[in-house]
Amino acid sequence: MTLILAAIALILCCAFACLIRGSGAGAGKIIPWFTVPAAVLGLAGSATVLWEGAAHTARLPFALPLGTGLFQADPLSALFLLPLFLLSGLAGLVAPARMKLLEDQLHHGRHGFFFCLLMAGMALVLTAADGILFLILWEIMSLAPFFLLSHSDRTPGDRFAGWIYLVAAHLGALPLLLLFASLTMQAGASDFASYLAVAGQGGTGLLFVLAFIGFGAKCGIIPLHMWMPEAHSSAPGHVAVLLSGTMLNMGLYGIFRVVSLLGGGDPWWAYALMCVGGFSGVLGILLGAAQSDMKRTLAYSSAENMGIICMALGAALLAGRHGAPTAMVLLLAGAFLHMWNHSLFKSLLFLAANAVKEGTHCTFIQRLGGLHKRIPVTGGCFALGSAAIAGMPPFNGFMSEMLVYLGFLLGSEATRGTEAALVFWAAFFTLGGIAGLALFAFTRLFGLAFLGAPRGSEVLEAREPERLLRLVMLFLAAACLGVSLAGPFLFRALRTPLQWFAQSVNMPAAFTDADFLLGDTALGWYALAGVALLLVFALVAWSRRTLLAKNPSEEGLTWDCGYRLPTARMQYTGGSFAHTLATVLKPLVRARLRLPRIDALFPSTAAARMETPDWPTAVWSNLLFRPIAALAERAKDLQIGLVNLYILYILMALLIALVWALGWT
């Protein structure tokens, strides 16, 4: 715990040091000198807690007006602290160059302050062991991204991204306020240890709903995702790493923490998690596959991956209730490993997409194409990240999904003859469908942006980013591969937190060595298969290079089906690539195809356009935001600038309060 607190203190020192340095570029240059040592200390402290499996506590040296000021790092906290500190160090490394590129749009000191405040806020949230303290730190963490997103208000899109994030953050905080207020009233204290007594009192269903809404909005579960596409697509690269790779995990942490505090709850909790998770997974990747902006596709795929993790958590709770400990081990391990994996490959993809934006000033795939020949390092890293997120062996995405598949199969076997078996099978095929859609979405994204011929002049300006960013991307790409090869070791490291979480949700019996055997064996064979695939790839690459050295080749046009002068207009566009899928799944995608009206026999130009609206957000807008806006517009008539009328309002309020106090209702 000492190392973790020291890391947080270093990050906070960096925040105030940035303010002191002011608006100059020097504020950005000092960030790595604090965040990298903090990351090393935090990783060491988190790994120690994870290895020991014991809770480490610390208390503020001064009393708070409310709450106990208690901090605690336990195995669940350590699981989420590890990717946080790793990505904080990497984001801090690449931040100075990103800030320099935006120096005419931001105040370096203020930007560095809120950047570090976001990192420290997330670490403090993960270690808070008091409900009131948790809410205070949650609000600090939630406010910091607003100032990072609104660094430039020159375009309506940037302004909209900042404000919609702020609105969503505050709306998501309201259920959490009710949640922790209810827990504190029932327990008679605000520390998490006292909340454990509430689990045995019953009536915790409403508390779970409040937690799922509040924390689900933070992790971007559909339909609570309305802030995520705008915020992630507008954020600079170093900020997008924190938003996508770590802040989404805060919502997952809240769900895991509340479920553990309330003892696992009723069976319908598991069904709710699986249903909402499956809906978010399918719809998230469908909406992502139809986007024309690289960053928006990545943002919607985050909703997909958060859905997979929620499905795995719900299935683990269901397996535990039906006495299937091996299935519960596989599902929980798959959920935790997928959280780690998502942090890695999503950070890699956002950094690569940001490198494309910096080099071409464009992320609209209809204007890109042929980027891989001009920026091969960025293109290669994006290809590896796309393979990982699409669940292609031998990368880490399929490693965690494989455990979830096995957990679904064992869960269906253990619950044979009951309705739970049908739920497990439905989840199995839903996950398979999500994986297939993810492969389609990222084949489309990489193929249209990096392969083929350039569609716009922006591609001609593409340049590789600076060496440090390339090294960070290569490190993350290697991590996506290395994690899959180290699967058996990571699975064994998860044994203690899995035992801890199972006990907190009232698992009937402790896990045995036999419950971990299948996962260990499966990951071992997966690692061996990965090594074999790498050797085959290396052999093919060496053979190709040897043959080309003996038989030099010349570059020319690809076989062109009889066209003498092929152009980029003959390539697939984003809309045409996704048209068939959008047509087959029209009830879910709700894509609109706008065809041009052609009157002349030989029209000069004509173009069809496919639009894919975010219909869950539109539903929220029609049901909630527009009625509130209309009511607020009418309420303007109450404020007409007359002091006498305002005095009348005050007198009326005092009269109503007096009647209420006297009991004349």
Side-chain angles (χ1 to χ4, degrees), residues 114-139:
F114 288 111
F115 180 66
C116 295
L117 187 64
L118 175 60
M119 288 188 271
M122 289 188 289
L124 289 170
V125 164
L126 292 175
T127 54
D130 176 84
I132 296 175
L133 181 63
F134 183 94
L135 284 175
I136 295 172
L137 297 172
W138 184 269
E139 189 67 14

Side-chain angles (χ1 to χ4, degrees), residues 304-318:
E304 168 229 340
N305 285 278
M306 296 299 106
I308 291 174
I309 296 171
C310 285
M311 285 178 62
L313 172 60
L317 296 177
L318 191 60

